[in-house]
Amino acid sequence: MTPSPALPQDSQRHLTTIDGWRRFVDGPPGPPPRLDDAQYDALGEAGRAAFDEARLDHHGRLLVVATSVVRHTVASGRRLVVLNRHAISARRGLIVSGPAGTGKTIAITQLGLSHELLDRARHPTATDRKPVVYITVPPAATPRMIAAEFARFLGLPVMARMNITDLIESVVGVCTDARTGMILVDELHNISLTTQHGAEVADTLKYFSERIPATFIYAGIDIEHGSLLTGTRGAQIAGRFSLIPTHPFPYNSEWRGLVATMEKTLALRRHQPGTLAKLDRYLHDRTGGMIGALSHQIRGAAIDAIFNGTEKITKAGLKAVSLDLAAESAQSRGPRTSR
């Protein structure tokens, strides 16, 4: 067993940098092989340590499952790219909105992944293209902060002496030259049109959308219930953007499929296939149908199983994993009914 590869620097992990985004598009290494006890023992001490580290890293990654929301987002986004292809102005966009932990970021990043892979397939020899830009809206953002987020993703210098006009022109120039076709803006709920800065940030994003020939995709928490779609500015956004809502999953066949799919990714030596499938109702009650909480619970239990040497996930092991407050609150309200 060869040692696990060195982990990337923090700056290379973040999707909000071009290096981090490219690592995401290139994909993680393949899953570790499944070894029985004899094969594991034969690795020797150093080999076992490297193998366990590779498995911990495997379970530490967020598992992406092609849920109905992900599929709908990818299909809708790809349709908009084609519809916007010859648009001169007023390009259409997409907003993915819902409670925290319901898979919004997964949905838009999978759309971005799909777009970039298609672009690479169409232009296999091009090295100067940046098909996708991904940024997050900082809390209490200002227009300059938004422009700086674009610049940082693209690897452009952000100097203190640079004003917002300089930043915007640099970003627009690079995105145009690099044929950027999709811009993902996450954490949109950090913009409030009830504040001057919030209104100015919304105007800045609108200006970017008019200058850059790209499809804009937004994601945020309960956008349709906030201030972003109110007033004159909000009416402009609502008139150009379609909404895809995300919700906790009901206990149904899709939920059971999610659990079964996640179970297949486990790299534990003694885990009995089908164990989690038998606990899918418990997992739904425990997580409130939140896909983020489900992924956290299963991956956390797998990591604990490697740490403690049991090499399998049990109901007790799942119970030992603390969940986020939203999921715990959902559990305290009692199990959800099927619908």
Side-chain angles (χ1 to χ4, degrees), residues 165-180:
T165 302
D166 296 331
L167 284 173
I168 288 176
E169 290 305 314
S170 296
V171 167
V172 170
V174 170
C175 286
T176 302
D177 292 342
R179 302 296 191 272
T180 300

Side-chain angles (χ1 to χ4, degrees), residues 17 85 92 121 123 127 130 145 185 188 214 232 266 321 332:
T17 67
R85 188 174 290 169
R92 301 287 175 170
H123 308 279
T127 58
K130 297 180 176 66
M145 290 168 68
V185 182
L188 194 69
T232 302
L266 296 176
V321 178
S332 68

Side-chain angles (χ1 to χ4, degrees), residues 8-204:
Q9 299 295 319
D10 284 346
S11 62
Q12 295 177 304
R13 290 176 177 269
H14 298 306
L15 294 182
T16 51
T17 67
I18 189 66
D19 289 337
W21 177 261
R22 284 173 173 166
R23 287 184 66 88
F24 166 72
V25 174
D26 292 339
R34 298 193 179 189
L35 306 182
D36 58 28
D37 288 347
Q39 292 170 318
Y40 181 74
D41 292 340
L43 293 176
E45 184 175 352
R48 289 193 294 272
F51 179 64
D52 287 346
E53 185 59 35
R55 291 191 299 149
L56 289 170
D57 193 51
H58 167 71
H59 291 120
R61 296 187 191 97
L62 179 64
L63 175 67
V64 175
V65 180
T67 66
S68 55
V69 170
V70 169
R71 292 192 298 271
H72 183 32
T73 301
V74 171
S76 299
R78 290 182 62 182
R79 183 191 310 120
L80 284 174
V81 168
V82 176
L83 289 171
N84 288 334
R85 188 174 290 169
H86 302 294
I88 298 174
S89 62
R91 296 178 189 87
R92 301 287 175 170
L94 192 65
I95 297 175
V96 181
S97 172
T102 52
K104 299 178 298 298
T105 297
I106 291 176
I108 67 167
T109 53
Q110 286 301 296
L111 169 57
L113 171 64
S114 173
H115 179 78
E116 176 129 357
L117 290 177
L118 282 172
D119 189 90
R120 289 184 182 186
R122 289 168 179 160
H123 308 279
T125 61
T127 58
D128 58 346
R129 298 178 70 89
K130 297 180 176 66
V132 176
V133 170
Y134 174 85
I135 70 164
T136 60
V137 178
T142 64
R144 190 180 190 282
M145 290 168 68
I146 288 294
E149 289 297 312
F150 276 89
R152 289 193 185 97
F153 179 94
L154 297 167
L156 300 175
V158 181
M159 308 295 186
R161 64 178 181 273
M162 295 177 67
N163 59 38
I164 186 172
T165 302
D166 296 331
L167 284 173
I168 288 176
E169 290 305 314
S170 296
V171 167
V172 170
V174 170
C175 286
T176 302
D177 292 342
R179 302 296 191 272
T180 300
M182 182 169 291
I183 294 178
L184 310 177
V185 182
D186 210 346
E187 306 292 327
L188 194 69
H189 52 268
N190 284 331
I191 300 175
S192 173
L193 295 188
T194 60
T195 68
Q196 179 178 347
H197 281 324
E200 291 171 350
V201 167
D203 289 344
T204 302

